[in-house]
Amino acid sequence: MNIFRLSGDLSHLAAIIILLLKIWKSRSCAGISGKSQILFALVFTTRYLDLLTSFISLYNTCMKVIYIGCAYATVYLIYVKFRATYDGNHDSFRVEFLVVPVGGLSVLINHDFSVLEILWTFSIYLESVAILPQLFMISKTGEAETITTHYLFCLGLYRALYLFNWIWRFYFEGFFDMIAIVAGVVQTVLYCDFFYLYVTKVLKGKKLSLPA
């Protein structure tokens, strides 16, 4: 494992922990898109089905279990535990516009036409756009809490670090996965505007606001 993948995994884990702590400590899921969290839960579920068929390492298994567990814990907190604080009116992005095209694309473009491989490809494609309901919600409300922006920053940083991971693996291991790289680029691009606002506003103590 190279430093970029490890850093990416830790950044991803930090994002998840930040979000869970934010919800639990404030006893509120205000400003959090439940739809994005459902999509992430779907991403981890379809990607890590290989937990039932193969073992790579203890680290790999533990991280997969943590991601799945935390994803469903977040969904539970939003839709059950603190449902009264969930702002469904602003969380109005039509997720079927993401899931249906991604599902079709994963069937058409994949490495191997098998159930597990198609589901893995589906998870890669879906993760690249799963944050859109959250970004749409922020643009609709006009602003985001600082802790929510920290969550988004760590999530975007994880994806950017994984791009460097793919570059490292290509040069030092000869490994190249076009599907993962293209999806990673798309996901990172979606965060670019947010990264700029995060650095120029949030880190200077200003409240983040996105244009509607």
Side-chain angles (χ1 to χ4, degrees):
M1 179 186 300
N2 62 70
I3 187 63
F4 296 113
R5 178 179 176 182
L6 179 60
S7 299
D9 287 346
L10 293 178
S11 180
H12 195 184
L13 185 60
I16 294 172
I17 292 174
I18 287 172
L19 182 63
L20 283 172
L21 288 178
K22 183 269 180 192
I23 296 174
W24 188 257
K25 285 190 172 183
S26 66
R27 317 295 288 181
S28 170
C29 54
I32 303 299
S33 169
K35 291 184 177 181
S36 271
Q37 297 310 311
I38 288 176
L39 292 181
F40 281 124
L42 183 58
V43 165
F44 296 137
T45 302
T46 53
R47 181 174 303 171
Y48 299 143
L49 288 174
D50 61 350
L51 280 170
L52 305 175
T53 61
S54 62
F55 176 81
I56 299 175
S57 68
L58 181 60
Y59 170 83
N60 184 275
T61 298
C62 288
M63 292 300 282
K64 289 178 179 179
V65 171
I66 289 172
Y67 288 153
I68 294 174
C70 288
Y72 281 98
T74 304
V75 171
Y76 168 78
L77 292 178
I78 293 174
Y79 286 100
V80 180
K81 183 72 174 179
F82 303 120
R83 180 179 177 84
T85 65
Y86 170 58
D87 187 3
N89 291 328
H90 285 128
D91 192 15
S92 56
F93 191 94
R94 300 284 296 277
V95 294
E96 61 268 28
F97 292 157
L98 300 178
V99 176
V100 174
V102 162
L105 187 62
S106 62
V107 172
L108 295 173
I109 304 176
N110 52 67
H111 294 309
D112 179 50
F113 198 76
S114 64
V115 173
L116 285 181
E117 187 63 30
I118 290 174
L119 289 175
W120 178 87
T121 305
F122 172 80
S123 76
I124 296 296
Y125 292 151
L126 184 60
E127 186 183 20
S128 70
V129 294
I131 200 62
L132 282 177
Q134 179 66 66
L135 296 178
F136 180 78
M137 186 176 186
I138 292 176
S139 68
K140 193 171 182 180
T141 58
E143 60 183 31
E145 294 181 22
T146 300
I147 194 68
T148 304
T149 62
H150 292 334
Y151 157 72
L152 290 171
F153 179 79
C154 287
L155 205 58
L157 181 61
Y158 137 71
R159 196 68 264 179
L161 286 168
Y162 253 66
L163 289 181
F164 288 105
N165 166 58
W166 297 128
I167 294 172
W168 176 281
R169 295 191 67 183
F170 175 73
Y171 278 103
F172 293 97
E173 301 174 16
F175 181 84
F176 185 78
D177 189 328
M178 180 60 74
I179 289 176
I181 292 173
V182 171
V185 169
V186 170
Q187 188 172 359
T188 304
V189 167
L190 291 178
Y191 283 95
C192 283
D193 186 48
F194 172 81
F195 282 152
Y196 172 77
L197 292 173
Y198 183 88
V199 172
T200 57
K201 290 190 176 183
V202 178
L203 294 185
K204 293 182 179 179
K206 301 177 182 179
K207 179 169 284 191
L208 174 69
S209 60
L210 296 177

